[in-house]
Amino acid sequence: MGEGVDEAGWDVEPGDEIEPVVQAVGRLLKVCRESAGVTVPELAEALGYGEDMIRKIERGARIPRPEFLDSADTFLKAQGHLRAFREDMRKARYPKKVRALAELEERAVEMLLYSNHNIHGLLQTEEYARALLRTWRPAYSPDQLERMVGARMARKSVFDRSPAPELSFVQEEVTLRRPVGDRMVLRRQLEHMLEVAQLPFVELQVMPTSRANHPGTAGLIEVLKFVDGTGVGRTDGDFSGRPVSNPRQLRVLDLRYGIIRAQALPPEESLDIIEKALGEL
């Protein structure tokens, strides 16, 4: 949790399409509170949140966390009416620019993920993600930072799906040594990667820095494939960096990723490289 950021939720981005739903939840919270004969100060004290935060949620200016709705539903004896919005608020927690990506990742049955500047978001620990996002400019406010970190961590639910998607990661070797945060943050990040690599549906490979002649030099590549045979992909190096779903464009990304995957170290040797980098910290 970042300093000065209330755990009840995040501010609604102006003009966001989820704003009407958040406002409806806020009105429902107020109706349930008043029906129970509970004041704002009493609810705030009972749930451990600030009074101003409760008021912001009630007027639809703040996105409540699913856990907040659980607690409020129980305390106000709302009979599940507030708890019914858990899933809506879980999705609303994603910033607008990440929401579409999260929905695609939830549908994917196969994910091909090449990252050349930093550890891929789905592999990141919370502290690594927070340290990395703090380097972005213009800088995020504390509230925006925590919302971005929360959304990134929530996306990792793909690892818990059953059946899980097949995940192929290729990381440039330099990302294993870039000291994002500090040495301990990087150490725990590398340890986490070694743990994730043991999952039966994950293949993690490292592209040696000495390997210069490969199509990943143009930048990040991501390809998500769905059960119906369709897919979506993006790359920093083409299509203006925007997601594409045209079969011809996807074939280009498949070709590039296939070459990258073939030129990267095998998984066993890749884990040796990660362990070596860990030992140097």
Side-chain angles (χ1 to χ4, degrees):
M1 201 60 224
E3 295 180 4
V5 181
D6 195 294
E7 293 187 0
W10 301 271
D11 286 335
V12 179
E13 298 177 23
D16 197 324
E17 67 268 16
I18 53 91
E19 191 172 15
V21 181
V22 177
Q23 291 173 343
V25 172
R27 288 193 296 270
L28 178 60
L29 174 64
K30 185 175 182 179
V31 168
C32 292
R33 177 181 60 75
E34 292 178 343
S35 297
V38 175
T39 65
V40 169
E42 289 170 341
L43 182 60
E45 182 178 359
L47 301 187
Y49 297 110
E51 295 178 27
D52 182 61
M53 193 58 53
I54 301 296
R55 292 190 175 93
K56 289 182 73 174
I57 291 174
E58 287 191 347
R59 67 173 185 266
R62 193 78 166 173
I63 303 169
R65 289 177 182 264
E67 312 87 79
F68 173 88
L69 294 179
D70 281 340
S71 300
D73 194 286
T74 299
F75 182 75
L76 297 174
K77 296 180 173 61
Q79 300 181 328
H81 295 302
L82 290 170
R83 193 173 285 116
F85 283 92
R86 275 182 56 91
E87 183 63 16
D88 297 276
M89 294 302 97
R90 186 189 70 79
K91 292 179 178 178
R93 72 189 295 182
Y94 295 111
K96 186 176 182 179
K97 60 184 178 182
V98 220
R99 196 172 300 137
L101 173 60
E103 291 175 355
L104 291 171
E105 289 175 343
E106 288 179 355
R107 291 174 45 212
V109 295
E110 183 180 0
M111 302 171 68
L112 312 177
L113 309 163
Y114 165 72
S115 190
N116 64 339
H117 288 306
N118 306 291
I119 304 299
H120 191 276
L122 291 179
L123 291 173
Q124 292 175 13
T125 64
E126 183 172 340
E127 57 185 352
Y128 180 97
R130 184 174 289 107
L132 179 63
L133 290 168
R134 279 191 175 124
T135 68
W136 290 17
R137 293 298 180 272
Y140 290 119
S141 68
D143 184 78
Q144 290 171 326
L145 176 64
E146 290 309 313
R147 191 177 181 198
M148 289 294 293
V149 173
R152 185 160 294 187
M153 294 302 102
R155 283 172 51 208
K156 294 173 66 118
S157 63
V158 296
F159 291 104
D160 301 321
R161 280 171 40 195
S162 182
E166 292 296 321
L167 299 169
S168 169
F169 295 93
V170 179
Q171 286 287 153
E172 283 289 338
E173 183 180 359
V174 67
T175 66
L176 309 177
R177 293 183 166 82
R178 179 166 290 127
V180 174
D182 58 33
R183 289 167 63 91
M184 285 308 299
V185 169
L186 182 57
R187 168 175 284 278
R188 285 188 283 266
Q189 174 61 62
L190 296 180
E191 290 172 343
H192 177 67
M193 291 173 68
L194 290 173
E195 292 174 3
V196 172
Q198 301 307 314
L199 296 172
F201 52 87
V202 172
E203 184 177 80
L204 176 56
Q205 295 175 259
V206 172
M207 178 68 77
T209 302
S210 59
R211 198 93 78 222
N213 186 26
H214 71 83
T217 53
L220 170 148
I221 296 176
E222 294 186 335
V223 180
L224 310 184
K225 299 183 179 183
F226 309 120
V227 70
D228 62 359
T230 61
V232 64
R234 69 186 181 101
T235 177
D236 291 338
D238 215 340
F239 317 127
S240 301
R242 297 177 179 174
V244 296
S245 55
N246 179 285
R248 185 173 299 176
Q249 294 169 321
L250 285 176
R251 278 197 296 272
V252 171
L253 296 182
D254 261 332
L255 172 65
R256 292 179 185 175
Y257 190 84
I259 296 173
I260 289 170
R261 196 174 190 174
Q263 293 186 339
L265 295 173
E268 296 78 8
E269 293 180 32
S270 296
L271 295 188
D272 290 341
I273 293 292
I274 296 173
E275 289 175 347
K276 180 181 178 182
L278 183 58
E280 294 171 354
L281 292 174

